[in-house]
């Protein structure tokens, strides 16, 4: 396969991954397998590091669009982001110590439970419920930030979808506000992981830059669709994505 063809193919998957990630998270389940297939000679850490560079670019652009329209609860988000940042770095540092297969099994089961719960709760995430952000909510945010930040550093794909579900289920956000909030937390996790991957030489800058630009284009498209069609659209898109992720990870586990 020629280098030019590889870049074009990666660009297409990066666009799709950016679009999905900006709307409902989980774009890594499209982009990471594409990178693994296109870069078989590279280590897992290099593939993850290159992917993190690309998704960070897309994430920054999608956040800038969301912030113009969505009211962010900064009292909750800032400690959650800091917790996610710290534990994402620890996760990236531990990437060679924790078997990837273990993470796949755990996330596979969680995705199935999320899909069943979201489908059964027809009104889940349709209305944004205002709440008092007290010490209990902040501690809960720090806990989930640490848990999903570590996962994002170790493995990554699907972390945005898990964050989105957490904000809907435990904080009463609608899907639109949850999507914007998940992007902010991912900003911390992606940055932290790169603090490990860049000094260790696990980033392919040319590939990451090209894939990143395509990811940005996809992210802007995803945010446009999310803001235009609202939480109902994101809920349906989220369920479709969960079915796809369950099928994709189930196939990977079986084979």
């Amino acid at each position: 396969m020629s280098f030019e063809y590889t870049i074009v193919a990666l660009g297409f998957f990066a666009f799709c991954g950016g679009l999905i990630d900006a709307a409902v998270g989980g774009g890594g389940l499209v982009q990471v397998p594409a990178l693994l297939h296109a870069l078989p000679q590279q280590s897992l850490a290099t593939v993850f590091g290159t992917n993190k560079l690309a998704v960070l670019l897309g994430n920054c652009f999608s956040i800038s669009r969301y912030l113009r329209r969505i009211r962010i609860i900064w009292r909750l988000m800032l400690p959650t982001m800091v917790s996610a940042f710290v534990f994402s770095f620890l996760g990236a540092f531990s990437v060679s110590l924790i078997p990837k297969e273990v993470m796949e099994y755990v996330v596979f089961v969680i995705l199935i439970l999320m899909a069943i719960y979201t489908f059964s709760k027809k009104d889940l995430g349709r209305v944004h419920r205002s709440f008092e952000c007290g010490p209990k909510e902040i501690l809960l945010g720090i806990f989930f930030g640490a848990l999903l930040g570590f996962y994002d550093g170790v493995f990554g794909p699907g972390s945005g979808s898990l964050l989105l579900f957490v904000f809907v289920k435990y904080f009463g956000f609608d899907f639109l506000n949850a999507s914007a909030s998940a992007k902010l937390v991912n900003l911390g996790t992606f940055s932290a992981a790169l603090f490990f991957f860049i000094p260790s030489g696990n980033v392919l800058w040319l590939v990451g830059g090209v894939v990143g630009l395509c990811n940005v284009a996809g992210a802007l498209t995803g945010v446009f669709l999310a803001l235009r069609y609202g939480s109902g659209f994101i809920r349906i898109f989220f369920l479709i994505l969960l079915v796809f992720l369950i099928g994709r990870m189930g196939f990977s586990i079986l084979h």
Side-chain angles (χ1 to χ4, degrees):
M1 184 184 295
S2 68
F3 178 76
E4 292 79 7
Y5 178 82
T6 300
I7 289 295
V8 170
L10 282 176
F12 170 76
F13 284 107
F15 177 87
C16 295
L19 189 155
I20 294 168
D21 208 57
V24 292
L29 267 297
V30 175
Q31 194 162 291
V32 170
L35 284 166
L36 286 169
H37 180 73
L39 305 170
Q41 73 281 11
Q42 301 295 336
S43 68
L44 193 61
T46 299
V47 170
F48 283 176
T50 303
N51 177 65
K52 286 290 187 270
L53 174 64
V55 294
L56 178 64
L57 293 173
N59 203 57
C60 288
F61 276 85
S62 60
I63 286 173
S64 67
R65 297 296 296 273
Y66 273 125
L67 290 179
R68 299 174 190 175
R69 297 276 299 275
I70 303 298
R71 178 178 169 270
I72 301 297
I73 304 175
W74 291 106
R75 189 181 179 191
L76 171 66
M77 293 311 304
L78 288 176
T80 304
M81 290 170 66
V82 171
S83 174
F85 178 92
V86 172
F87 279 85
S88 179
F89 181 84
L90 294 175
F93 185 76
S94 307
V95 73
S96 61
L97 305 178
I98 300 177
K100 175 173 168 283
E101 292 76 14
V102 172
M103 301 302 299
E104 282 189 322
Y105 283 117
V106 172
V107 175
F108 180 65
V109 173
I110 291 173
L111 288 174
I112 293 174
L113 296 175
M114 282 169 50
I116 294 171
Y117 186 86
T118 305
F119 185 79
S120 63
K121 300 288 184 179
K122 303 298 183 184
D123 294 327
L124 182 71
R126 290 188 177 275
V127 179
H128 186 69
R129 175 174 56 84
S130 60
F131 73 104
E132 291 294 327
C133 184
K136 178 183 175 182
E137 288 75 20
I138 292 173
L139 287 174
L140 198 60
I142 291 172
F143 168 75
F144 281 118
L147 186 66
L148 296 177
F150 186 81
Y151 165 73
D152 194 60
V154 172
F155 185 50
S159 65
S161 300
L162 295 171
L163 283 165
L164 186 150
F165 181 81
V166 163
F167 283 119
V168 171
K169 172 70 172 66
Y170 294 98
F171 297 103
F173 289 12
D174 62 30
F175 274 100
L176 188 58
N177 280 268
S179 183
S181 299
K183 293 290 154 295
L184 281 169
V185 178
N186 272 147
L187 180 64
T189 62
F190 297 159
S191 301
L194 283 172
F195 270 101
F196 171 78
F197 287 126
I198 291 175
S200 60
N202 287 306
V203 174
L204 300 176
W205 291 97
L206 177 59
V207 175
V210 173
V211 172
L213 290 175
C214 297
N215 194 274
V216 168
L220 294 177
T221 305
V223 174
F224 170 79
L225 292 173
L227 292 174
R228 183 179 180 87
Y229 297 107
S231 291
F233 163 78
I234 295 180
R235 182 181 187 276
I236 295 171
F237 201 3
F238 181 64
L239 282 168
I240 293 172
L241 176 70
L242 287 182
V243 172
F244 169 76
L245 296 185
I246 290 167
R248 175 72 181 80
M249 294 191 77
F251 182 82
S252 175
I253 289 170
L254 290 174
H255 291 78

